[in-house]
Amino acid sequence: MFTFVILKILTLITSVDVSACFISIQGRVQGVGFRPFIYRLAEQFSLRGWVRNNNEGLTVYIEGEVSEIIKFSHYLKTQAPIASSVFNISIENVEPEGVTSFKILPSLNLSDEITEISPDIALCDACLVDLMEQPHRINYPLINCTNCGPRFTIIKDIPYDRPNTTMDIFPMCELCASEYRDIMDRRFHAQPIACNDCGPGYECWREGQMTGTSILDILDMSVREIQLGRIIAIKGVGGYHLVCDAGNDQAVKRLRERKGRDSKPFAVMFKDADTASGYVDISAVEREVLLSWQHPIVLLRKNKESLAGLVSVLNEGISTVGVVLPYMPFHYLLMERLNIPAIVLTSGNFSEHPILIDNQEAIRQFSGIADLVITHQREIFNRVDDSVVRIIAGSQRMLRRARGFVPDPIHQTSRVEGILAMGAELVNMFCLGKGSRAYLSQYIGNLKNPETQQFYNDTIFRFMQLLRIEPEMIVTDLHPEYFSTKLGHNLAQTLTSEGKRITIERVQHHHAHIASCMAEHQLDEQVIGVAFDGTGYGSDGHIWGSEFMLADLETFQRTNHFEYLPMPGGDKAAEEPWRMAISALVMAFGKDLNKTILSILSDVKPQQSEWIIKMIRNRVNTPMTCGAGRYFDAVAALLGIITQAGYEGEGPMKLEALTREGIDETYEIELGPVISFIPAFRAITQEILNGYDPGLIATKFHNTVVLAIVESAMDLHKRYSVDKVVLSGGVFQNKYLVERVVSKLQRNQLRVYIHAAVPPNDGGVALGQLIVAAKRREKYVFGCTGKSD
Ligand SMILES: [Zn+2]
Ligand SMILES: [Zn+2]
């Protein structure tokens, strides 16, 4: 897109011999140092004119020699600031006005169109040097510049200028103000800048009492507490973190207990990438992502059996560990003073509640959990967690989309204006349409608890206000009991009662998954969709989750799925995978199921299995599911690596951790519209009874799922002549599985699409809902009958 537009500019400028033009730039160009960049370029090429921010982006007027304008355009493309992203440039040739200098003009509020708001940017290298050397910013823990610092987390309204941020209450000192005004300074028009004299500071609290405000004292206290094995809470960019020594068994266990987080893996922060490479494998791509301006948590493979020096309770039974490097000044100052290799850095919340952002709340709520609470006075307006990514098939794949990525839009080819997609339930994110841009919210979380519901509700209204969107269409899942579905309906009712015209659209969960991946790749045609996850409400009222479909952006036809398994106890079976293991055994052995077979479930008491078998046979509180996630759960439980799931996806993650390279064997399955794993379950059971290595069994099971996907997709390709395959759903967070499916399908000349910027898990569902609703609306507008799931 960008290259094409630049070429067009050059053609225009050279063919029509003009020496003045207006350039309008859309994209992420505010709050990322774009205006000073333009200014310096104009100076470099002796061009005159002006640049200004407006709601739509940036407008530039330049005049000068044609050859210099061409050079200017070239540099505009190749030297743009690191965190900027240009989506569109348009140019208009005009008569020269005869101006004599280049100026930055005040921002203009033009219309309801909005420009892109920058996500938060990790501390830059130049600021890191200033942190050590610049007299008024030595050890100033909230140092930033046009190339780094908070953005989305502090913005209250657009355009992005200081009075519209939470820095509005801190007047700049004369020195900061002079930097802000100095076009040649790196802090020129950097909205959140501050220094030791004028900026917000840090505070340290112990048991509800403030004990210090000197940053050096606070660092000393923090270091001491961490090294003594205590837990401290530290306010970050988008919320609080809880921190402790990652090498101290007792500290990590205590953190788990206090946080109410039984077994979910903890992320760790190392001082730098070299230190981290002593514990985890880091490829060139992974290093690049760790050090990118977003600084996300990257899932990396442990390079030894255990993280020698770090404790195993961080991530028991999982082959990866989430690693993040320091991304705000306080992290650097802390890490360089600690004599330990890594700290646990986990969201400051309780079980599944949203990350805390308010200072008073944090001081109150953390007083029983953390020995110290380190706060700062820069208010967080928009809460964001750390983002989590993984390198799969050679590229960065989003698992949790938040800090550094939100609120970047996903560009669409259709008009999505005024559509609010409510998302799903467990790892909820919603999505709002503006023009042809889809704005996915930050990671909201599990909508089963009231605190997260409140966060969800508030954030929807905040996005509507920030993006100037009035919904005309609300899209929900088919599941009648999802909080997101109910809130969508309530919202529609409220807006209708205010006299607005609102339509409600419903999109099936797995269709939304596939559409989400299609929207990310701007596909608008019929594809073979493979949506694998734990659970989603099916059009037939059963629980789906191993769906093969012929789908386009409007509708879908389900073609194949795994055989339904009983789910004894409903949702309880997702929390207790041993129930799914019994379910698999009942399916596989029927009346032949005996005590010897059941003995492989050594953690399950005979009365428990008897009771579950009765439930299944009598169909008491036993819905049917074909969720692929439940199949992974069943095998993980048969292998004895999980009995109870401490968190969503634990069974599949532990099973993936056992996989090994170099094993190509598979189990037998029956392919067809209903894919039966009965022969596979029988073989797995026999191999467990024969004492086979669990790693071999786990790998063969993965290979069997790969086989089911590849064979079924190939069959659909032959029957329907469709050659694009789209993979989505939480199961495709599994690196082993994805890489094999992709390479095998590609070897068969199929084109495979997987997620990159949008999570494959339920976090991405809202984008799919949005695009499906947009396509159906186009049909209504043209007078045709819309289709529905
Ligand atoms: Zn900086
Ligand atoms: Zn200052």
Side-chain angles (χ1 to χ4, degrees), residues 121-128 130 143-149 151 186-187:
I121 309 170
L123 186 71
C124 75
D125 291 344
C127 280
L128 197 52
D130 286 349
I143 191 170
N144 63 81
C145 72
T146 46
N147 300 320
C148 75
R151 299 290 187 272
R186 209 177 74 251
R187 294 191 173 80

Side-chain angles (χ1 to χ4, degrees), residues 100-120:
T100 55
S101 61
F102 196 91
K103 288 200 176 88
I104 295 191
L105 300 183
S107 299
L108 267 192
N109 230 335
L110 283 180
S111 65
D112 270 357
E113 274 301 309
I114 53 118
T115 189
E116 288 170 22
I117 300 159
S118 169
D120 304 284

Side-chain angles (χ1 to χ4, degrees), residues 136-137 172-176 194-199:
H136 57 305
R137 292 203 181 85
M172 284 183 213
C173 68
E174 207 25 64
L175 197 48
C176 283
C195 73
N196 276 316
D197 297 325
C198 65

Side-chain angles (χ1 to χ4, degrees), residues 567-580:
M567 207 175 160
D571 282 349
K572 202 90 185 128
E575 292 157 22
E576 299 180 355
W578 63 270
R579 292 172 183 245
M580 290 313 299

